Amino acid sequence: PVFAGMNRSAIENFSCVIYNVSLMNCTWQAGRDAPGDTQYFLYWQNSRDDDEMECELYIKDENGRNTGCRFKNVRIEPQKSYFLVNGSSKDLQVQFYDEYIQLYKIEKLMSPSNVTVNCDQTKDYCIIQWQRPQISHSNKDKCFKYEINIKYK
């Protein structure tokens, strides 16, 4: 497809991660041929039923250029979310960048909590218990697999 605007002025290396259940960080780099005064603006739509929203809290580089966004209270929906980053410059038209992302695929899971270890030395066994991490899109225990590394000292 042909995008209006100067070649290689759209952002590059766009990436988002969800952490602590409902926080999301998105980052990008300025297009390599974007004019020096280019400023970028991120819009996203969580699902087709939601309104498109602009980023509320931009992450800026040392020149004051927006290079990322922090979101709170993010809900993970089954359908893909739409992200659009527009650029503006007084000199030239800047290409836009857009992407559809399934949010559950970018969620970084919390570690299990309330880990307890009870060992019975006479019977030579231990019981290790924990609570599964909290996640925003599922309450199914069967979604999780765990690995325990035991190092004897």
Side-chain angles (χ1 to χ4, degrees):
V2 178
F3 296 115
M6 184 179 144
N7 274 345
R8 295 202 306 254
S9 61
I11 60 154
E12 299 172 14
N13 299 327
F14 182 79
S15 126
C16 297
V17 65
I18 292 175
Y19 61 98
N20 285 2
V21 181
S22 64
L23 303 177
M24 181 167 68
N25 242 31
C26 295
T27 58
W28 59 83
Q29 290 169 320
R32 67 192 84 171
D33 290 345
D37 74 328
T38 303
Q39 184 58 286
Y40 294 104
F41 304 95
L42 170 63
Y43 299 87
W44 85 301
Q45 193 174 10
N46 197 14
S47 72
R48 283 196 187 145
D49 304 326
D50 290 341
D51 294 332
E52 191 175 80
M53 297 177 295
E54 187 183 352
C55 171
E56 285 179 21
L57 183 61
Y58 282 107
I59 302 164
K60 295 178 181 293
D61 66 11
E62 60 279 1
N63 303 317
R65 181 182 275 180
N66 297 336
T67 55
C69 181
R70 290 194 176 98
F71 297 93
K72 306 183 293 221
N73 306 319
V74 172
R75 240 179 26 256
I76 293 184
E77 301 285 355
Q79 60 267 57
K80 290 182 176 180
S81 296
Y82 177 67
F83 294 82
L84 168 72
V85 182
N86 274 332
S88 73
S89 158
K90 62 182 189 309
D91 301 329
L92 293 159
Q93 199 174 359
V94 177
Q95 290 177 330
F96 70 86
Y97 172 91
D98 66 348
E99 186 177 351
Y100 286 93
I101 298 175
Q102 285 204 284
L103 296 187
Y104 75 86
K105 292 183 177 177
I106 60 166
E107 184 173 15
K108 190 172 183 174
L109 297 179
M110 309 270 288
S111 54
S113 57
N114 296 335
V115 179
T116 60
V117 181
N118 291 306
C119 295
D120 186 327
Q121 289 175 334
T122 56
K123 297 187 179 132
D124 210 22
Y125 73 86
C126 293
I127 295 174
I128 303 170
Q129 292 177 297
W130 60 86
Q131 282 184 310
R132 67 164 176 76
Q134 193 184 348
I135 57 173
S136 53
H137 62 278
S138 172
N139 286 318
K140 297 189 179 94
D141 281 320
K142 66 176 184 246
C143 290
F144 289 90
K145 289 184 179 176
Y146 301 94
E147 181 178 302
I148 298 172
N149 289 321
I150 299 172
K151 295 186 173 77
Y152 289 95
K153 291 186 178 175

